[in-house]
Amino acid sequence: TYAFCDASLPFPVRARALVSLLTLDEKIAQLSNTAAGVPRLGVPPYEWWSESLHGLADNGPGVNFSSGPVAAATIFPQVILSAAAFNRSLWRAVAEAVAVEARAMHNAGQAGLTYWAPNINVFRDPRWGRGQETPGEDPAMIAAYSVEYVKGFQGEYGDGREGRMMLSACCKHYIAYDLEKWGKFARYTFNAEVNAQDFEDTYEPPFKSCIQEGRASCLMCSYNQVNGVPACARKDLLQKIRDEWGFKGRYIVSDCDAVAIIHENQTYTSSDEDSVAIVLKAG
Ligand SMILES: *[C@@H]1O[C@H](CO)[C@@H](O)[C@H](O)[C@H]1NC(C)=O
Ligand SMILES: *[C@@H]1O[C@H](CO)[C@@H](O)[C@H](O)[C@H]1NC(C)=O
Ligand SMILES: *[C@@H]1O[C@H](CO)[C@@H](O)[C@H](O)[C@H]1NC(C)=O
């Protein structure tokens, strides 16, 4: 009898109907990857964290190869290798194949619908250690890869299809995130100092294409600071994405613990509550 259960209604109407029924505590309980269920409305808990950079991976808690009939999935080459084929149709075909397996595993109750891929950070420095996850060092090439991955993975949705999609892909990690651990620097506290030209020419293009042309349904903000402000608290950048890149009715997630570290590791705020407040206000 709830409007959000009525499959004949458009998705935005159903979403608003569900949110309108939630109490503040129930809304707060949705704000992590392990979203709580709402038993009184028949809403099950949901694990938002599944991974699929080059095949379904068991390094995210949303995918489990031992809880049902599907014991394995196809693993394609590391992204840096597929990228080196310089073949957009190939990138699209790989993403489509991963999506079919992901959807099948979801149907079997072993995987989620929301995936934290592609990784489209610019591979600028070989010391990063995660360069193999990315399409490489060239912003235009990464942008092209991101569009093919997202369209292949989500299915082409939008025009005339009422927002239906196969799965949700996530452009990560926004932005200027190219460092894990090096010397005295670590990803939780690194402040990327980026000038305006480098920002526009290097770091931004992959994300702009991933969102505008690829129509990714999700964006993930990164651990690092950008010019002294935590990336997840850069209201100016996140608002620009919604206002100028058409990122409407879609969602932003933080990297794992990227909100907690704003206080605990960056001491940018004076409490965890303040960290939650600034990222929510940032969008
Ligand atoms: C995967 O499923 C098995 C069987 O249900 C369970 O024992 C295990 O804890 C699950 N693993 C994860 C990481 O959730
Ligand atoms: C590019 O990839 C597609 C899809 O796999 C394949 O059919 C095509 O032969 C590839 N093109 C080249 C030039 O290798
Ligand atoms: C981040 O802060 C937590 C809590 O103070 C601490 O346990 C952890 O070691 C820190 N991590 C890093 C990478 O500094």
Side-chain angles (χ1 to χ4, degrees), residues 8-142:
S8 70
L9 295 173
F11 289 123
V13 174
R14 295 174 67 188
R16 273 193 288 272
L18 174 56
V19 172
S20 75
L21 295 172
L22 299 178
T23 65
L24 184 59
D25 284 346
E26 287 165 347
K27 288 176 186 167
I28 291 170
Q30 301 302 312
L31 294 179
S32 77
N33 60 293
T34 50
V38 187
R40 70 183 180 89
L41 299 175
V43 175
Y46 181 70
E47 173 56 73
W48 285 82
W49 179 5
S50 291
E51 299 275 358
S52 62
L53 283 176
H54 58 107
L56 285 196
D58 64 3
N59 64 331
V63 177
N64 189 333
F65 288 108
S66 50
S67 61
V70 185
T74 308
I75 297 299
F76 291 92
Q78 290 276 15
V79 175
I80 191 99
L81 294 173
S82 294
F86 288 95
N87 183 339
R88 293 185 71 142
S89 324
L90 177 69
W91 303 337
R92 172 84 69 118
V94 168
E96 285 171 352
V98 175
V100 169
E101 292 191 359
R103 189 75 197 210
M105 260 186 98
H106 171 77
N107 293 346
Q110 292 177 256
L113 291 166
T114 48
Y115 288 81
W116 292 351
N119 181 343
I120 54 169
N121 289 123
V122 179
F123 186 19
R124 264 203 149 171
D125 184 333
R127 292 170 298 184
W128 178 19
R130 288 179 70 176
Q132 79 284 355
E133 293 181 21
T134 77
E137 64 185 343
D138 179 67
M141 165 113 155
I142 304 167

Side-chain angles (χ1 to χ4, degrees), residues 243-256:
D243 293 345
E244 295 177 22
W245 298 359
F247 192 75
K248 296 259 157 68
R250 310 187 232 167
Y251 61 98
I252 298 173
V253 295
S254 61
D255 203 343
C256 301

